[in-house]
Amino acid sequence: MKALRGAQKFRLPWRRPFSVSGIRREIKDIADLPNRIWPKYQGSHRNDSYAYVVYKLMHQIETRNNELLALQWPSPPRNILLVKKEGVETVTDSLLELAKLGLLAYSKKPTNVPSHVHSSYPSVSLLLEPHVASAIHNALPFPIYTTTSALDSSRSFLHEKVDMTTTLGGDGTILHASSLFATTPNVPPILSFGMGTLGFLGEWKFKEFKRAFREVYMSGAGAGYGSSLLEAEGGKPNAEAGTVAGWSTIRGKSMGPARGARVLLRNRLKVGVFTADGERIGGDDSTASAKGDVYAMNEVIIHRGKDPHLAIVEVFVGGRFLTEAVADGMIISTPTGSTAYSLSSGGSIIHPLVSSLLLTPICPRSLSFRPLVLPSNTPITLRLSKKNRSREVEVSIDGVRRSHGVGVGMEVRVYGEEIRSPDGLWQGGVPCITRGNVGIEANSDDGWVGGLNGLLKFNYPFGEET
């Protein structure tokens, strides 16, 4: 018996109670993923009913800083789109590190994946743009998802499937990620890591990615290990997603409802191009040639392009004729875009929480033509005058040039996007996740002021070293 027990003891380490799945370097269609989860954004309680005010005060889910909103997931996000800056090897390496260490976990741990993966986020799927997916999928030991259909269908799938977007790069990368949703009024939350040249819009540093993802992922979970609603369901598998529902599968306690991720809703422009007869000009479902209105996070620009003559543009504000601009072009920008091309053209800097539009001429002939700041709900129309010497001018939206320009008599109509519905719900805009937590006293530096001083060198004295 002793010999038998000794033999069993010797054989025990070599027994395999479970099988290990092979490494799967696959690219799958985004259509196979479950539909997106729609988060809510909780703001100040000024316009809420009395009962809801009492509820929020009891649960402490309102933001102390009224302008920033609290991200509330009804259930954990599952489909995360990663967008990276092109042509930078270090950014690609960071994306691979992010994917391997911080996001995916499988019940059977591959041998070449760090052990942290096993305890991270078991229900998350990664989405990549097609050219990125084809370039790096061999370096990942799990399947990734991308769009494999035509352009119009692929954008529709992004709108229907993406729960959250993560960017690795600079401000241009954030604009590109926003442009992927330029034809839909509902943009998924964007978590951005500053790895570009300027990084005025991205507050997070890449070394903080574990903390950042946990804050965003757990935002909306109740106190304890998971949502009480989902825990009441016993953590049963979700039939649609094929994964475990709820936050209870994540190690460590949640941050509680008072410590949700903070969100800044950045206003967008709603842009439409019309013929001289008032008919809408459309094409495919893209920024360059959209079927309907296009949303712009930064600006819409009318420019003379390669033509040597100044453009002559009739400007209408609120349906009334304002002026006839003789200039290289015209810029209509959001507060977010006020630090971009408009700033280089002499426009004012506007805080992103100020609901407004900025009308800025580009190199006007008249020195008395100054930039104007208008309410965001003011419609602005730019019409190419019959006096214009060239037959067409260029139109670009967030740096994407439209496939067809604007001819004589044609109009570009611009409106500010509504980010709050009549019933008081926050919607629309570009939800940008900021550093820090709701319910914690904000620092005197709100990020925007620090960006002006640190990045734009606002009013920096001449002759002093930076």
Side-chain angles (χ1 to χ4, degrees), residues 44-57 420 423-424:
S44 63
H45 52 264
R46 286 176 295 180
N47 298 322
D48 293 328
S49 65
Y50 177 77
Y52 192 52
V53 170
V54 173
Y55 171 81
K56 291 202 295 184
L57 290 175
R420 197 162 192 179
D423 56 359

Side-chain angles (χ1 to χ4, degrees), residues 19-26 106 108 110-112 141-143:
S19 61
V20 178
S21 59
I23 296 177
R24 296 180 292 173
R25 297 183 174 92
E26 303 177 60
Y106 282 86
K108 307 297 185 288
T111 57
N112 63 337
F142 42 76

Side-chain angles (χ1 to χ4, degrees), residues 44-362:
S44 63
H45 52 264
R46 286 176 295 180
N47 298 322
D48 293 328
S49 65
Y50 177 77
Y52 192 52
V53 170
V54 173
Y55 171 81
K56 291 202 295 184
L57 290 175
M58 290 178 60
H59 292 81
Q60 299 181 2
I61 63 173
E62 84 283 6
T63 58
R64 296 191 182 186
N65 184 354
N66 290 340
E67 295 85 359
L68 296 178
L69 307 177
L71 174 64
Q72 298 286 311
W73 294 106
S75 59
R78 299 169 297 189
N79 307 329
I80 297 181
L81 172 65
L82 298 184
V83 180
K84 76 177 191 71
K85 183 177 182 179
E86 296 296 330
V88 182
E89 186 176 352
T90 55
V91 175
T92 302
D93 294 339
S94 298
L95 185 145
L96 292 173
E97 180 184 359
L98 177 68
K100 289 181 178 180
L101 284 179
L103 289 178
L104 290 192
Y106 282 86
S107 58
K108 307 297 185 288
K109 183 169 55 180
T111 57
N112 63 337
V113 179
S115 59
H116 177 75
V117 173
H118 186 62
S119 60
S120 296
Y121 305 97
S123 61
V124 168
S125 298
L126 284 185
L127 291 75
L128 298 172
E129 295 181 88
H131 65 283
V132 179
S134 62
I136 71 170
H137 77 279
N138 284 328
L140 297 174
F142 42 76
I144 56 178
Y145 295 82
T146 190
T147 55
T148 58
S149 54
L151 178 62
D152 54 349
S153 299
S154 65
R155 288 183 179 271
S156 176
F157 277 129
L158 286 177
H159 304 167
E160 297 171 358
K161 302 296 184 179
V162 176
D163 296 331
M164 185 179 77
T165 302
T166 298
T167 65
L168 292 86
D171 295 351
T173 308
I174 298 176
L175 285 177
H176 172 63
S178 175
S179 71
L180 298 176
F181 304 90
T183 57
T184 179
N186 300 108
V187 181
I190 295 180
L191 174 63
S192 55
F193 296 97
M195 303 182 68
T197 306
L198 183 60
F200 188 71
L201 302 180
E203 297 185 11
W204 292 91
K205 298 178 181 178
F206 181 73
K207 63 182 180 181
E208 303 173 299
F209 76 89
K210 292 182 183 178
R211 168 199 162 190
F213 266 98
R214 180 167 182 80
E215 285 189 9
V216 177
Y217 188 89
M218 301 299 292
S219 189
Y225 284 90
S227 167
S228 58
L229 173 63
L230 294 175
E231 285 185 343
E233 297 174 357
K236 296 180 180 180
N238 185 324
E240 180 185 12
T243 55
V244 177
W247 286 276
S248 57
T249 57
I250 306 302
R251 291 185 180 180
K253 293 187 177 181
S254 72
M255 300 178 295
R259 287 171 57 91
R262 296 197 302 175
V263 171
L264 169 61
L265 278 182
R266 295 184 178 270
N267 299 64
R268 294 187 298 175
L269 302 175
K270 192 175 180 180
V271 185
V273 181
F274 297 81
T275 66
D277 298 327
E279 297 182 2
R280 183 186 297 274
I281 298 177
D284 56 27
D285 194 17
S286 66
T287 305
S289 180
K291 296 177 181 177
D293 291 327
V294 176
Y295 294 93
M297 181 178 178
N298 253 15
E299 76 262 308
V300 55
I301 301 170
I302 284 185
H303 195 274
R304 63 182 176 88
K306 61 183 179 180
D307 192 89
H309 306 292
L310 294 177
I312 303 177
V313 180
E314 298 172 356
V315 182
F316 297 82
V317 174
R320 300 182 61 182
F321 177 75
L322 173 67
T323 188
E324 186 177 71
V326 182
D328 279 352
M330 294 293 300
I331 303 172
I332 303 176
S333 70
T334 63
T336 299
S338 67
T339 54
Y341 197 173
S342 176
L343 179 62
S344 301
S345 300
S348 300
I349 299 176
I350 304 177
H351 196 283
L353 293 173
V354 178
S355 183
S356 59
L357 303 178
L358 181 58
L359 179 65
T360 308
I362 305 173

